[in-house]
Amino acid sequence: MCGPALVLADPKAGFRCTPVASAFAVAESCAPEGQDEDSECPKVLRSSSAVPELLEEMNQSAELTNKLELHASQAEIRYRQCLARWSRLHRNLLEEHGAQSVDRARRYFEAEEALKAAAERIQNTSHQISAAGQDAKAAAGVKANEEMAAQGKLEHEVALVCFSKALR
């Protein structure tokens, strides 16, 4: 292979490469072995400004990844702590009140949660219906205003005709 630059040719042909002085400058000049460097061969151009920008973007992405992994591991630790605490509480409730009472209480709280969710859905739907009604009223008001404007225009034209007749 020809060093750090990408060569756009068949690697089986046996290329010889001469790197340019700067790694971020105009890549490398490659020619098949036995051919002159000046003859036509694939040249790879590298953008000197794109490489540092890409490296900076990679560094920022790595920093963000590290932060997110830290948050995820902290959340997992909190989850495990809460799970352990709730498991102890559940065991204590089972010992104190029995499985039947805990099961009845669970069904009650599950039903209460379902009721809250249904009430929230009903409230959201009523807000949507109210907004749609207001939109319909606004549309009807626009139509009524257009009709009144048309009627006013007609009355104005009638008044102009009467006024012009009076002036004759």
Side-chain angles (χ1 to χ4, degrees):
M1 194 72 182
C2 296
L6 177 66
V7 178
L8 300 175
D10 185 11
K12 295 177 183 176
F15 287 95
R16 141 179 82 84
C17 301
T18 307
V20 176
S22 170
F24 296 117
V26 180
E28 298 175 346
S29 171
C30 299
E33 290 190 25
Q35 279 191 357
D36 185 21
E37 290 274 335
D38 294 334
S39 68
E40 292 184 30
C41 69
K43 292 186 179 182
V44 180
L45 300 178
R46 299 174 83 184
S47 173
S48 61
S49 64
V51 172
E53 290 173 6
L54 289 172
L55 290 174
E56 181 62 30
E57 194 173 316
M58 286 173 49
N59 286 339
Q60 290 173 356
S61 296
E63 287 177 16
L64 178 62
T65 301
N66 291 339
K67 285 179 185 177
L68 293 174
E69 285 177 351
L70 176 65
H71 287 301
S73 65
Q74 289 172 344
E76 187 176 350
I77 290 169
R78 284 193 308 273
Y79 168 76
R80 291 184 190 278
Q81 290 171 344
C82 287
L83 183 62
R85 189 173 40 232
W86 284 106
S87 295
R88 283 192 304 272
L89 178 62
H90 187 255
R91 263 184 277 129
N92 292 342
L93 286 172
L94 285 174
E95 290 173 3
E96 186 176 335
H97 300 287
Q100 187 178 10
S101 297
V102 171
D103 189 42
R104 274 189 291 179
R106 179 185 306 130
R107 288 194 305 254
Y108 168 77
F109 287 110
E110 288 172 351
E112 186 177 359
E113 285 298 314
L115 179 63
K116 285 180 186 178
E120 187 176 325
R121 284 193 308 270
I122 289 170
Q123 186 176 14
N124 288 338
T125 303
S126 71
H127 286 300
Q128 291 173 351
I129 290 171
S130 175
Q134 289 175 352
D135 289 346
K137 274 186 179 178
V142 167
K143 186 176 180 181
N145 287 341
E146 289 172 353
E147 289 174 359
M148 288 190 328
Q151 181 66 28
K153 185 177 178 185
L154 180 64
E155 290 174 1
H156 179 70
E157 289 174 0
V158 170
L160 284 175
V161 169
C162 289
F163 181 70
S164 67
K165 284 183 184 179
L167 288 178
R168 291 187 205 169

